[in-house]
Amino acid sequence: MTNSRLDSKAESDSLTTASNGAPTVLITGASKGVGAACVHGFAKAFPEGINLVLVARGLAGLQELESELSQYPNAKVLTLTADIADLKACKQLVAAAVQEFGGINVLVNNAGLHHRGEFSQRTPEQIAAMVDVNLRSPLYLAALVLPLMPKSGQRAIVMVGSLAGRAPLQGAATYSSTKSGLRAFAYALSDELRDKNINVAVVSPGPIDTHFIMDEIDEVEDIVYSQPMSTPEQVAAAIVKLAKGTETEITMPWFSGKLTTLGYLFPSFRRASRGLLYRIGRKNKDKYRRRQS
């Protein structure tokens, strides 16, 4: 991990909001897509001041984003390069954030990994990597951050889930199961912490118009494109809303969220509608291919 200054020990009982009086937000997968949109979203949502801890594997993307943040004089920025699949790196980045700003008010678990294709086509290593990035590390980071949160003020943990976590998605069995686990964790922890006024929430979007799916359009299941595409800014706005509010989940688009509920409750409906959704998805995918070219 680079760009960090580490304490050997952080004492949780001495932590407060940063000395500049601003809340501190830690965002993983911050260098592009939804993560980068979140950075801008939080900077705009806290004009009175905010501390942003930006975590990603690539330094170049973080440096570019940091330069963009010069338009927000209210924002103080700490950039950290780390692979969150490495639990030691997770502990180091949290320590660096605490040393720099005194505490962490909001954790946004945004980083994600998806090796696409049917389960039988994936290697055990790819499956383990998806579990590590999408589920194990978000839980680990939440466990690290919770004792370090200030005793009052803005406090939240927001997971970036997926509609695939609300209803099983063939061709994405591991991804779907990790996002489902992340959603279940958000709901359970939300109930545990409700009396402590720490909001734990999950945003569950359908397809998002980012490199995450557009650069791999031929590998993405056709059914994914059967749903309306959200922009990174729309998802980021939902994340900021959850971080500042009391809701537990936002699905987007709204109607797609209702479809996943039906598909989960009535598997026969999901299987019966699959052919139609695949046809719609293939047609939409062709439109996106033409746009890409």
Side-chain angles (χ1 to χ4, degrees), residues 57-100:
R57 287 182 300 173
L59 181 59
L62 288 175
Q63 289 175 331
E64 181 179 347
L65 185 58
E66 187 174 12
S67 66
E68 294 174 6
L69 288 172
S70 61
Q71 65 183 293
Y72 306 107
N74 58 302
K76 294 184 178 297
V77 183
L78 174 66
T79 59
L80 302 169
T81 58
D83 181 357
I84 66 162
D86 180 352
L87 298 187
K88 182 180 179 181
C90 288
K91 187 173 289 187
Q92 289 177 330
L93 69 89
V94 168
V98 170
Q99 179 169 321
E100 184 73 12

Side-chain angles (χ1 to χ4, degrees), residues 84-166:
I84 66 162
D86 180 352
L87 298 187
K88 182 180 179 181
C90 288
K91 187 173 289 187
Q92 289 177 330
L93 69 89
V94 168
V98 170
Q99 179 169 321
E100 184 73 12
F101 295 122
I104 298 170
N105 298 72
V106 178
L107 168 65
V108 179
N109 278 314
N110 167 68
L113 178 65
H114 192 178
H115 293 294
R116 304 183 189 280
E118 294 186 358
F119 185 84
S120 59
Q121 298 173 347
R122 302 279 60 85
T123 67
E125 290 75 20
Q126 289 173 324
I127 292 165
M130 281 190 277
V131 173
D132 286 348
V133 173
N134 297 345
L135 186 57
R136 185 181 69 152
S137 289
L139 270 63
Y140 188 71
L141 283 169
L144 289 173
V145 167
L146 267 176
L148 306 177
M149 283 184 166
K151 299 184 183 301
S152 61
Q154 194 71 46
R155 297 176 296 168
I157 299 174
V158 183
M159 318 294 176
V160 178
S162 170
L163 291 183
R166 291 174 56 86

Side-chain angles (χ1 to χ4, degrees), residues 5-17:
R5 296 185 293 278
L6 306 181
D7 271 337
S8 59
K9 183 178 180 182
E11 295 294 342
S12 61
D13 59 358
S14 67
L15 294 174
T16 61
T17 300

Side-chain angles (χ1 to χ4, degrees), residues 206-224:
I208 309 170
D209 196 355
T210 67
H211 294 293
F212 191 70
I213 66 170
M214 297 311 291
D215 285 356
E216 301 176 347
I217 192 167
D218 291 328
E219 285 74 41
V220 179
E221 284 283 313
D222 292 345
I223 195 171
V224 171

Side-chain angles (χ1 to χ4, degrees), residues 222-235:
D222 292 345
I223 195 171
V224 171
Y225 296 97
S226 68
Q227 303 305 303
M229 192 90 73
S230 298
T231 66
E233 290 73 23
Q234 288 171 328
V235 180

